[in-house]
Amino acid sequence: MNMSLKWTDKALRFLLLAFAFSLPISIAPSEGFAYAALAVWLLHIFSRRDFTWMRSPYFWPVLVFAFLALWSSFRGLHPSESFDKVDRLALTTLVFMIPMVFGGDEEPLWRRRSDLVFMFVAGASLKGLYDLARVPAQVWGQGLPLFSV
């Protein structure tokens, strides 16, 4: 069992860092990384058997948000459209994953989360560099108006 915990710890760290890196670039891969992290995290917490939802200070706000989102999907203007997207509420579990994976008391709080912030900034910088090349190429090369790119 100890080996599986080490495997899930490493996998969660990788998946959350990949999520943070890909989030500014595109929602498609970042959502895949988030759902994969959710699956590994559930495996991790059920194999440990000592996780409690109430331990997190975000439990009640996330629960209220999920309830209101579910309620509005049934009672909203277009229930058939909004109910199809209810599965995305599972991504609110990122709020519980990040402190567990990037927690611990051996380093200061800012140091523990700096890898996550660095990966997000690296992804945003890469997207910015791509747009620095893409926008002028489309404006001057294809003749598109600047604000339609």
Side-chain angles (χ1 to χ4, degrees), residues 1-77:
M1 176 165 320
N2 193 15
M3 188 62 144
S4 68
L5 289 179
K6 289 182 181 180
W7 175 84
T8 56
D9 284 337
K10 289 178 183 178
L12 275 172
R13 184 171 176 82
F14 169 77
L15 289 168
L16 289 175
L17 288 173
F19 168 76
F21 179 77
S22 62
L23 189 61
I25 297 170
S26 174
I27 193 70
S30 63
E31 198 172 69
F33 287 126
Y35 279 119
L38 174 63
V40 172
W41 180 68
L42 288 173
L43 176 72
H44 181 77
I45 63 171
F46 288 128
S47 65
R48 280 181 35 193
R49 301 182 200 273
D50 68 343
F51 182 80
T52 59
W53 294 97
M54 300 294 235
R55 183 170 52 185
S56 174
Y58 301 114
F59 175 76
W60 290 109
V62 167
L63 186 67
V64 168
F65 172 77
F67 173 76
L68 291 174
L70 279 171
W71 182 70
S72 69
S73 71
F74 287 111
R75 303 283 300 162
L77 293 174

Side-chain angles (χ1 to χ4, degrees), residues 44-117:
H44 181 77
I45 63 171
F46 288 128
S47 65
R48 280 181 35 193
R49 301 182 200 273
D50 68 343
F51 182 80
T52 59
W53 294 97
M54 300 294 235
R55 183 170 52 185
S56 174
Y58 301 114
F59 175 76
W60 290 109
V62 167
L63 186 67
V64 168
F65 172 77
F67 173 76
L68 291 174
L70 279 171
W71 182 70
S72 69
S73 71
F74 287 111
R75 303 283 300 162
L77 293 174
H78 304 286
S80 61
E81 293 176 18
S82 59
F83 190 71
D84 289 340
K85 299 175 183 176
V86 167
D87 63 321
R88 294 179 185 167
L89 283 174
L91 295 179
T92 59
T93 57
L94 287 167
V95 171
F96 301 108
M97 279 186 250
I98 291 172
M100 187 186 88
V101 174
F102 295 97
D105 295 327
E106 60 274 357
E107 295 176 331
L109 181 63
W110 66 271
R111 181 82 173 152
R112 288 180 263 156
R113 309 251 167 71
S114 64
D115 292 341
L116 203 59
V117 173

